[in-house]
Amino acid sequence: MRIHGEGELISAFIDGELGADEAAEVRDHIAACASCRESCASLRSAKSLLARAPRRAMPPDLVAQLEGRLARPLWRRVLDSLRPPVSILVPAGALAAAVLVVAAWFGARRALPEQGIPLEPLLAAHSRYTAESLVPASELVASNYSAQLNAYYGDSPDQE
Amino acid sequence: MAIRPIRNRLPLLLLALWFAAPPVAAGALPDAQPLLDAALSAPDRPYQGHLTVTQWSGRQTHAEEVEVYYSPTNRYRWEFLAPDGSVTRSIVSDGANETTWLAHPGKAVTGEAVRTATKLMMPERERELLLKNYRLSVTGPDSVAGRKAWVLVLRPLVAGKPHQLLWIDTETQIILSIKRFLPGMQFATIARFTHFKLNPSLSDVTFKLSIDSSVPVTGDMTPDFLSIDELEKTTGRETDLPDMLPGGFAFESADYFEVGKEMVRHLRFTHGLAVLSIFLTDKPVNLPRGGMSRPAPPLSPPGALRLASTGKVYAFQHDRQYYTLMSDVSRDLLEHIAARMIPQKKASRQPRPAVTAAPVDPAGRIRWTKMAGSVESVELTANRLWAKTKMGKSRDFIVTEASKIIRDKKLAKLADIKPGDKVRLLRYNSATREIKKIELAPAVSHWAKR
């Protein structure tokens, strides 16, 4: 078994997680290898510091929540495990909202009346052509024609 | 049987007596047709005056005063006045070009003077239509602005068409007053001189409109007179409308223009006096709010009918195409026309007789036609250019010294034209193929939005 430089194996040795044969083998290597002995001492020191660190009690509501979950039937716990994580739910929700907005926009466009062509240029074209009629009505035509132009290009009260 | 009070019939009786009774001095009355012909020709003497224009349409009445100046040949100036006497709009012609000045938006619209181009329908044919659809008579004399005038009465032979009265100066045959109306309906237009002066001293300045260089000038609103075939070839759109419509309306000519980015095809029909415009668009036309509207009768296509000062407007949609009809005939006649003008099916479409309008009419006016498309090539040494229509047909044109080349609203030269340039409008002499005017993109449409 390779032991030299295997930090995880040394950590397991310190935690007493190895079998008797493995633990004896590691113990022999550490006794013979200065660098592994140093690593072992460093790991023991870190674990000792962590073990002495103050611990905070679990909030009571979290305890109750956990107990509630554990009390749920198995099928429910299976279903919960199948629920997608939040990291997927957020972008998926945003995408769905965007689709809804676009669909609503298209729907609104269809529901709204189509943007029409202003009537004034057509009235002006009709009047201007009427000026070419066989029987002249110059002033009448000119009045209509210029009024329609005014209604189209300006804010004249002459609008129809 | 109930006896109706005679006072209800009194106006009819009086009207019948008025038409039936011989004039007091019948021998002194001129013949109607020569009087009409004299009035149709352009005045050969200068005049100026002040007239009022009054229009009734439905419940609305609109009146304005106009200062008029005229000088042969075809030079005119109309100044439309606000109640305070200020000029709201002016239309000025130097005989060839016309400028409309709109004071309120501070904008000028330019084009060619009225009656400088030749229509597709010859005047003889239009006169024939008029005499076929109207009965002419003369009464009078009457007095207008202190001058003696004959009253030429044009009465339609078919109901629903406007009546027209012309007060024609007995000495000069200048029209002093016009009245057009539909009997029994709230629709009439009247123009009448209140002051009239013959042979005034009018300088050239009167017929020129000096516009500040900062004023936006928009053009070109001059109508062109295309046959259906020319319209179809130029626009690439088929137009299945009959040549004749109910009420004696005959197809005269077609044209097209742009409103914003939308193409509007304009087909004109005439029965000699009134004009019927049919506009074809791919989008609906916004009808005026208010006014009159009523559901179409069962035979008519479903549409809306409204009143406008220029006449009635009837709009409907058929087969993804929007139709807007405009004329000053009665609503019943307009709806009847709408019902009968539904395009013929392609399978039953009759071959259209080729319209070969004379390139020059008897009055010597040139017939201009127009096209749109793109420039194919330019030959500077020969002063020629080849352009391709929207249908892909290639044509050659001659550029002369009189040809006006416009790019971005500025005068340009033949050398400035490059292959591939978009031709928004090219007006040319159909006989000689000489270009009168060519507008290159990105020239703004004359109906482009403010």
Side-chain angles (χ1 to χ4, degrees), chain B residues 336-359:
Chain B
H336 183 59
I337 292 168
R340 299 296 174 92
M341 56 161 275
I342 293 296
Q344 303 155 13
K345 288 181 181 174
K346 283 179 187 176
S348 61
R349 190 184 183 193
Q350 300 295 316
R352 200 177 288 279
V355 179
T356 50

Side-chain angles (χ1 to χ4, degrees), chain A residues 114-119 121-140 142-156 158 160, chain B residues 40 51 55 62 64 78 80 89 102 104-105 107 112 114-115 119 126-127 164 175 178 221 223 225 252 268 275 277 279 281 283-286 288 308-310 322 326 446-447 450:
Chain A
E114 197 174 352
Q115 184 70 29
I117 296 169
L119 179 66
L122 278 60
L123 288 169
H126 174 73
S127 293
R128 179 61 185 80
Y129 173 77
T130 306
E132 306 285 344
S133 291
L134 180 72
V135 180
S138 310
E139 288 80 14
L140 289 172
S143 172
N144 281 329
Y145 170 62
S146 55
Q148 295 307 331
L149 287 179
N150 220 28
Y152 185 57
Y153 288 119
D155 300 316
S156 165
D158 292 333
E160 298 294 339
Chain B
L40 295 185
L51 62 79
Q55 306 194 36
H62 180 263
E64 65 182 346
W78 294 300
F80 299 90
R89 315 180 306 275
L102 309 169
H104 185 57
K107 199 176 182 79
E112 289 165 23
V114 170
R115 294 169 186 266
K119 295 165 77 173
E126 205 167 357
R127 188 177 179 279
Q164 182 148 324
I175 297 171
I178 298 171
M221 72 272 189
F225 307 97
E252 192 283 312
R268 303 81 164 237
V275 170
S277 284
F279 295 96
T281 53
K283 284 189 174 179
V285 172
N286 299 331
S309 64
T310 43
Y322 291 90
M326 220 172 271
H446 64 274
W447 298 118
R450 288 166 274 174

Side-chain angles (χ1 to χ4, degrees), chain A residues 68-88:
Chain A
R69 284 193 183 183
L70 288 170
R72 276 185 290 181
L74 180 64
W75 66 268
R76 183 68 185 269
R77 276 185 275 167
V78 170
L79 275 180
D80 288 348
S81 68
L82 294 173
R83 185 184 294 170
V86 176
S87 58
I88 294 175

Side-chain angles (χ1 to χ4, degrees), chain B residues 196-324:
Chain B
F196 184 86
K197 185 180 179 183
L198 198 62
N199 298 323
S201 175
L202 298 173
S203 70
D204 291 344
V205 179
T206 308
F207 304 104
K208 281 185 182 167
L209 198 61
S210 55
I211 299 171
D212 192 272
S213 58
S214 63
V215 169
V217 178
T218 311
D220 169 19
M221 72 272 189
T222 310
D224 282 297
F225 307 97
L226 310 180
S227 67
I228 292 288
D229 287 340
E230 287 173 320
L231 180 74
E232 289 183 341
K233 282 175 186 167
T234 310
T235 61
R237 301 289 299 271
E238 204 171 80
T239 308
D240 284 332
L241 286 176
D243 293 324
M244 288 296 297
L245 291 172
F249 280 99
F251 172 77
E252 192 283 312
S253 65
D255 195 6
Y256 67 95
F257 53 90
E258 290 173 356
V259 179
K261 290 180 180 176
E262 293 299 320
M263 184 176 69
V264 179
R265 285 174 288 159
H266 183 191
L267 284 84
R268 303 81 164 237
F269 293 77
T270 179
H271 61 51
L273 183 67
V275 170
L276 168 70
S277 284
I278 299 176
F279 295 96
L280 308 180
T281 53
D282 292 332
K283 284 189 174 179
V285 172
N286 299 331
L287 290 186
R289 282 171 293 180
M292 171 198 65
S293 176
R294 70 173 192 182
L299 285 176
S300 298
L305 181 71
R306 298 276 181 183
L307 275 177
S309 64
T310 43
K312 293 174 187 66
V313 181
Y314 186 83
F316 66 95
Q317 183 190 7
H318 175 77
D319 199 18
R320 293 193 297 174
Q321 180 78 67
Y322 291 90
Y323 297 82
T324 306

Side-chain angles (χ1 to χ4, degrees), chain B residues 2-13:
Chain B
I3 298 171
R4 297 171 67 186
I6 195 167
R7 64 174 179 272
N8 286 354
R9 296 179 181 176
L10 198 55
L12 283 175
L13 275 170

Side-chain angles (χ1 to χ4, degrees), chain B residues 126-171:
Chain B
E126 205 167 357
R127 188 177 179 279
E128 186 187 304
L129 276 173
L130 177 69
L131 297 178
K132 191 176 169 186
N133 288 297
Y134 278 84
R135 182 182 298 161
L136 275 57
S137 60
V138 181
T139 64
D142 198 354
S143 178
V144 179
R147 294 187 66 86
K148 199 161 79 171
W150 301 118
V151 185
L152 180 65
V153 182
L154 288 82
R155 277 184 297 162
L157 298 176
V158 174
K161 292 182 183 177
H163 291 229
Q164 182 148 324
L165 276 67
L166 298 167
W167 281 259
I168 299 167
D169 190 82
T170 55
E171 179 193 345

